[in-house]
Amino acid sequence: MEQTPKHNTESMKRANETSIYILMVVGVLISMVGVYLRFAGDSTTLSIVSWVILFVGSIVACKGVFKILDA
Protein backbone atom coordinates (compact mmCIF):
# COMPACT_ATOMS: atom_id res chain seq x y z
CA MET A 1 0.00 0.00 0.00
CA GLU A 2 1.40 3.42 -0.99
CA GLN A 3 1.74 6.17 1.55
CA THR A 4 0.26 9.51 0.61
CA PRO A 5 2.47 12.54 1.13
CA LYS A 6 1.65 14.79 4.04
CA HIS A 7 0.31 18.12 2.84
CA ASN A 8 -0.12 19.80 6.20
CA THR A 9 3.40 19.68 7.52
CA GLU A 10 4.87 22.61 9.40
CA SER A 11 7.31 23.25 6.57
CA MET A 12 4.53 23.58 4.00
CA LYS A 13 2.50 25.87 6.23
CA ARG A 14 5.52 28.11 6.74
CA ALA A 15 6.40 28.02 3.03
CA ASN A 16 3.02 29.52 2.15
CA GLU A 17 3.43 32.62 4.34
CA THR A 18 3.63 35.79 2.28
CA SER A 19 5.97 37.50 4.75
CA ILE A 20 8.75 35.09 3.84
CA TYR A 21 8.40 35.80 0.13
CA ILE A 22 8.36 39.54 0.79
CA LEU A 23 11.59 39.13 2.78
CA MET A 24 13.21 37.21 -0.10
CA VAL A 25 12.09 39.79 -2.69
CA VAL A 26 13.45 42.63 -0.56
CA GLY A 27 16.75 40.75 -0.26
CA VAL A 28 16.96 40.28 -4.03
CA LEU A 29 16.16 43.96 -4.64
CA ILE A 30 18.85 45.06 -2.19
CA SER A 31 21.31 42.74 -3.93
CA MET A 32 20.38 44.19 -7.31
CA VAL A 33 21.12 47.69 -6.02
CA GLY A 34 24.51 46.43 -4.86
CA VAL A 35 25.24 44.92 -8.28
CA TYR A 36 24.17 48.12 -10.03
CA LEU A 37 26.41 50.24 -7.82
CA ARG A 38 29.28 47.84 -8.43
CA PHE A 39 29.30 48.76 -12.12
CA ALA A 40 28.13 52.37 -11.77
CA GLY A 41 31.43 53.97 -10.90
CA ASP A 42 35.14 53.36 -10.59
CA SER A 43 36.01 54.54 -7.11
CA THR A 44 37.28 52.36 -4.30
CA THR A 45 34.75 53.71 -1.82
CA LEU A 46 31.80 53.02 -4.10
CA SER A 47 33.12 49.54 -4.79
CA ILE A 48 33.37 48.72 -1.08
CA VAL A 49 29.91 50.13 -0.38
CA SER A 50 28.42 48.15 -3.25
CA TRP A 51 29.99 44.91 -2.01
CA VAL A 52 28.59 45.54 1.47
CA ILE A 53 25.10 46.23 0.06
CA LEU A 54 25.31 43.08 -2.07
CA PHE A 55 26.40 41.04 0.94
CA VAL A 56 23.58 42.41 3.14
CA GLY A 57 21.01 41.73 0.41
CA SER A 58 22.13 38.15 -0.02
CA ILE A 59 21.99 37.58 3.74
CA VAL A 60 18.43 38.94 3.84
CA ALA A 61 17.38 36.68 0.95
CA CYS A 62 19.02 33.62 2.52
CA LYS A 63 17.31 34.44 5.81
CA GLY A 64 13.95 33.98 4.08
CA VAL A 65 15.02 30.66 2.61
CA PHE A 66 16.27 29.41 5.96
CA LYS A 67 12.98 30.42 7.59
CA ILE A 68 11.23 28.00 5.27
CA LEU A 69 13.76 25.23 5.89
CA ASP A 70 13.78 25.77 9.67
CA ALA A 71 10.34 24.22 10.18
Side-chain angles (χ1 to χ4, degrees), residues 25-53:
V25 167
V26 167
V28 169
L29 290 176
I30 292 171
S31 297
M32 288 173 61
V33 169
V35 169
Y36 176 75
L37 288 177
R38 179 75 180 112
F39 296 106
D42 197 22
S43 69
T44 306
T45 307
L46 185 62
S47 179
I48 292 172
V49 168
S50 67
W51 277 110
V52 169
I53 291 172

Side-chain angles (χ1 to χ4, degrees), residues 8-16 20 67-71:
N8 292 329
T9 62
E10 186 67 31
S11 176
M12 286 189 160
K13 288 178 185 175
R14 182 165 297 192
N16 289 328
I20 293 175
K67 274 189 174 182
I68 294 173
L69 296 175
D70 190 30

